[in-house]
Amino acid sequence: MLALISAFGLVLAVELPDKTLVATLVLTTRFRAWPVFAGVTAAFAVQCAIAATFGSVLTLLPETLVTAIVATLFGIGAYMLLREGFSPGKDGGEDASRSGPSPATFFRSALTSFGVLFAAEWGDASQLATASLTARFGNPFAVALGAFVALVAVAGIAVFIGAKVRSRIRPKLIQRVAGFVFAGFSLFALAQLAF
């Protein structure tokens, strides 16, 4: 249960200000909501399975090496989040150029949404977190489920109340906080190497 809750909380915090929310928002302005939600949900399921599998492979390695890899993965995640959180630019999402949903088929809309989010999640902080937490807890199903539920929650927010969320959340601040949390996890893992 701790693995599931940890994965959910960490991935939710990391993904709220991330490109996942923005991409889903933009897709929802171009296509109907349900196909977008179906497509991004399928992409998240595949990405979580890949990340948890990678994390499971890590558990087959010696504990010291796994701890070093986990520290490195969290360090990379911290770097990515802090770089984005402190980068110059607007503290919000991009506006879509179209004002209403297009009449594309359900399948086309879902497939486009799947492709966009599947590509966007490669090497993302949530994928690194999922792999790292799987290696840390040794429970790939619980970690993948927690990460998946968090990603679907973010997609749901973007699809159903995206415009309101974008105006009330300061993505750069959340990215900075999540980056420092990742850095803390990395330092904690490095401290375990010393003892």
Side-chain angles (χ1 to χ4, degrees), residues 141-154:
F141 179 76
V143 171
L145 181 61
F148 175 74
V149 171
L151 288 165
V152 170
V154 169

Side-chain angles (χ1 to χ4, degrees), residues 14-186:
V14 165
E15 288 300 322
L16 272 176
D18 197 49
K19 63 187 171 287
T20 301
L21 182 102
V22 174
T24 306
L25 259 169
V26 171
L27 286 165
T28 303
T29 65
R30 296 178 183 195
F31 303 112
R32 292 182 318 254
W34 285 113
V36 170
F37 190 71
V40 299
T41 298
F44 295 148
V46 174
Q47 284 291 7
C48 287
I50 290 168
T53 300
F54 178 70
S56 293
V57 170
L58 291 178
T59 63
L60 302 174
L61 300 172
E63 188 174 336
T64 306
L65 182 58
V66 170
T67 303
I69 292 171
V70 167
T72 302
L73 289 174
F74 274 121
I76 291 168
Y79 170 75
M80 290 168 48
L81 287 164
L82 291 172
R83 181 186 68 194
E84 184 69 25
F86 285 104
S87 69
K90 271 183 16 177
D91 196 19
E94 299 108 22
D95 289 330
S97 60
R98 297 168 72 171
S99 59
S102 73
T105 66
F106 184 96
F107 181 74
R108 180 175 169 262
S109 301
L111 191 60
T112 300
S113 300
F114 176 89
V116 168
L117 268 293
F118 185 77
E121 287 298 303
W122 279 106
D124 194 55
S126 62
Q127 194 177 41
L128 295 172
T130 303
S132 299
L133 289 171
T134 299
R136 168 66 64 216
F137 288 110
N139 190 340
F141 179 76
V143 171
L145 181 61
F148 175 74
V149 171
L151 288 165
V152 170
V154 169
I157 290 169
V159 167
F160 295 111
I161 54 172
K164 293 178 184 177
V165 171
R166 258 190 9 201
S167 66
R168 294 189 179 160
I169 289 180
R170 293 190 49 214
K172 297 247 183 232
L173 177 63
I174 295 173
Q175 286 171 326
R176 292 172 189 167
V177 170
F180 286 121
V181 169
F182 266 50
F185 284 147
S186 180

